[in-house]
Each structure stands twice: as structure tokens, then as C-alpha cells.
Amino acid sequence: MGWPDRIRVLERGWLSSNQLVFVDDDGASVLDTGYVSEADETLRLLDTALAGMPLRRIFNTHIHSDHAGGNAALQARHPGCRTLIPPGEAQAVAAWDTTALSHDRLSQDCPRFTHDGVFHPGETLHLGGEDWAVLPAPGHDHAMVMLWCERLGLLASADALWQRGFGVVFPELDGVSGFAEQAPTLDAIGQLAPRWVVPGHGAPFGGAAVDEALVAARARIAWLASDPRAHGLHALKVLIAFKLMAARQLSRAALTAIVQTRLDAGPGLRAALADSRGEPPEAASLATLLCAQLADAGVLRMAGGVAESTR
Ligand SMILES: [Zn+2]
């Protein structure tokens, strides 16, 4: 990649976010730590990248379980390490409010960790020998931040922009505006004109691929904003695919329970998926519909009433 060796990307999958590792003279820092079920792999990859160097700091772009699920394991491995998070979720982390942190309604696990401080949008961090502006990135998660290195033209975009799309716009599922925030976040990325984007998930991309990703993402946000039902179905499919990747297989009852938990906790989602008479969606039939669509997409296969992950 076209940036110094002191900045390394550990590319992961869709269960765990990528890690960005920054090497400085006094030790290393890591941005985002993956999902709990892959924490052993996160520790192993970090050990290799650090090559005996101390890990001094953990930063999180946001506190979704696939970005902060390795914090506790890394803190245990590196006792002197400081953990810094964006301010928007500091209270929820301090109180370990798993409802505010969304871990409950997503039926996802994130081992409790403590944070040592916050870093704010507008601040500049010095990581890997470079200056990084902390930028707000509302939409997917209103408390999320991105890191921008002007000198390298390198953006760590978290879940605001992937090569194909962006993260589910979760506030909308809770009945809170989110599409109206995601669109300006994409515009802000366009204004930066990054040479490289290191997304929260998927391979880094650069050059013309950045413009293509932005064009596609802008079209997608316009479509989702005009069709909240499509966004709601997409959100539930992402959730089921995530749970399946972690569990490998899930019974019909377990799938229905996951959908029911999400519907119960999401007034915006319930409204988006209500039928034409305004009747609330029914979890079991929704789970059946979503599994059929995910099977068509090759994400799972159904065998004797059990969904099995194909990824
Ligand atoms: Zn996220």
C-alpha cells in the first residue's frame, strides 16, 4: 500500500472489524479490536504485528461489538495499555449500559471493558508518525468517528464507507433520524478526496475505487431513505448473517428470537416493517422470509429447519 510501514492494516472479515496498527517510538496503538468470538485471532495477529513492542493505546471508532469486542482481551494481555473512545458513548461504557450500547438489541456479545479517556472530533492524534484529524461520522452510529491523515490522503472510515456500501443506519431502526446524517457524512468524505480508504470491514481501496464507492453509497442512501422497509429487511439480514457467522448454525426458534428481540427494541424497525394495514411484523414469518433471501444469496443453507452459515 502507498503509506509508511509504521501504519499497518490487519484485514479481518465481516465478524471482526479491521485493525489499524500504528507504530511509534514509545510503542504501538491499535484502532478497533474485532468481535469477541475471534479475540484469540486478534491477539495472535497483534502479537505478530507488534513483534514484542508494547501496545500503548487502544482507540475505538465506535463501540459496536465487532469493533470493541477485543478490547477486554487486549487490556488483559497489555496491562499498561490505555483505552480511548469517542465521547458520545463514554457514559454508556462507564456504566456498561448494554442497551444504550446496542449490544442487547443486536443479541451480540461484547466483554465489559473500562476506558481511560476520550478523544474528540476536532482533535489531532499523533499515530504512526503522522497527524490524524478526528472527524465526526454520524449516520451508522451517531457517536462514531473516523481518522483522517491529510499528508497521506488516508481515511480510516470505520463503518461510514466500505468499498460496497456502509453499515446499517441503526438510528433509523430506533425511530431516530439517521439517513439525513449519513448522507452529509458521505459528502464530507467526498470533500476530503481520500487517496486511500481503510474501511472498518473489507480490503483497503484507493484511487478511482474511492469515487466509485462514494457514488454507489450516495445512491444507496437515497434509495434506503425512500424505502425504509428495504432498509429494515437489510438490517435484519445483516443481523442474521452476523449471528450465523458467530454461531455457525441456528435453529428456526433461535432465528425467530433474534428477530423478535430486534423488533421489540426498535420502534423505527417495527414501523418500517408493518404491513399495509399497519399491523406489526410477525417475527417467525419474517425470519422465514429473510432466511429464504439469505439462502438465495448464498449466505446460508437450510437443513432440517436449521440455518447453517456458508461463510
Ligand atoms: Zn458499526
Side-chain angles (χ1 to χ4, degrees):
M1 291 296 171
W3 56 79
D5 195 38
R6 291 156 67 109
I7 300 159
R8 294 174 207 163
V9 180
L10 307 182
E11 189 188 331
R12 307 295 296 276
W14 290 90
L15 198 50
S16 284
S17 66
N18 295 333
Q19 279 83 62
L20 252 174
V21 181
F22 305 95
V23 175
D24 287 284
D25 294 341
D26 67 340
S29 307
V30 65
L31 180 70
D32 287 339
T33 63
Y35 190 57
V36 60
S37 66
E38 297 183 334
D40 286 348
E41 174 78 349
T42 304
L43 290 175
R44 195 184 61 73
L45 289 170
L46 251 294
D47 280 351
T48 304
L50 296 178
M53 221 178 345
L55 183 67
R56 295 283 188 214
R57 288 175 293 189
I58 296 170
F59 293 92
N60 293 115
T61 57
H62 60 310
I63 313 298
H64 282 165
S65 60
D66 54 331
H67 290 252
N71 280 23
L74 280 171
Q75 288 180 341
R77 172 73 64 107
H78 301 276
C81 169
R82 282 170 55 76
T83 299
L84 301 159
I85 64 174
E89 279 163 329
Q91 240 182 337
V93 167
W96 204 249
D97 179 346
T98 52
T99 300
L101 291 170
S102 85
H103 304 157
D104 289 348
R105 54 190 181 279
L106 297 177
S107 311
Q108 290 174 8
D109 302 319
C110 185
R112 182 168 188 169
F113 65 89
T114 52
H115 71 288
D116 303 293
V118 295
F119 63 110
H120 292 86
E123 252 180 64
T124 300
L125 305 177
H126 307 283
L127 298 170
E130 304 289 342
D131 287 342
W132 299 82
V134 181
L135 304 178
H140 165 71
D141 174 339
H142 288 339
M144 187 169 73
V145 299
M146 308 182 287
L147 297 189
W148 166 241
C149 177
E150 171 95 50
R151 195 185 80 82
L152 299 174
L154 177 53
L155 178 73
S157 63
D159 291 342
L161 180 69
W162 302 330
Q163 186 154 10
R164 286 180 187 79
F166 44 81
V168 168
V169 184
F170 284 108
E172 292 283 346
L173 307 184
D174 299 331
V176 175
S177 167
F179 300 135
E181 287 75 12
Q182 177 69 22
T185 292
L186 294 171
D187 290 342
I189 294 173
Q191 300 259 308
L192 298 173
R195 289 203 291 283
W196 289 100
V197 173
V198 177
H201 300 269
F205 52 98
V210 176
D211 296 329
E212 288 162 19
L214 278 168
V215 168
R218 286 198 184 99
R220 183 171 175 79
I221 193 69
W223 168 57
L224 292 174
S226 72
D227 190 349
R229 180 179 171 80
H231 181 250
L233 291 173
H234 167 66
L236 285 173
K237 278 189 272 192
V238 169
L239 177 59
I240 288 173
F242 186 89
K243 291 296 290 178
L244 257 186
M245 272 192 286
R248 302 315 301 165
Q249 55 177 42
L250 291 167
S251 68
R252 209 174 271 283
L255 290 161
T256 300
I258 290 165
V259 171
Q260 189 67 60
T261 299
R262 194 65 191 84
L263 288 171
D264 288 346
L269 180 64
R270 280 198 305 279
L273 297 180
D275 69 16
S276 53
R277 297 185 309 277
E279 293 293 322
E282 205 261 309
S285 51
L286 259 182
T288 301
L289 168 76
L290 297 164
C291 284
Q293 293 183 357
L294 286 165
D296 284 346
V299 172
L300 61 80
R301 79 174 77 79
M302 294 302 295
V306 173
E308 295 173 353
S309 177
T310 56
R311 300 199 286 194

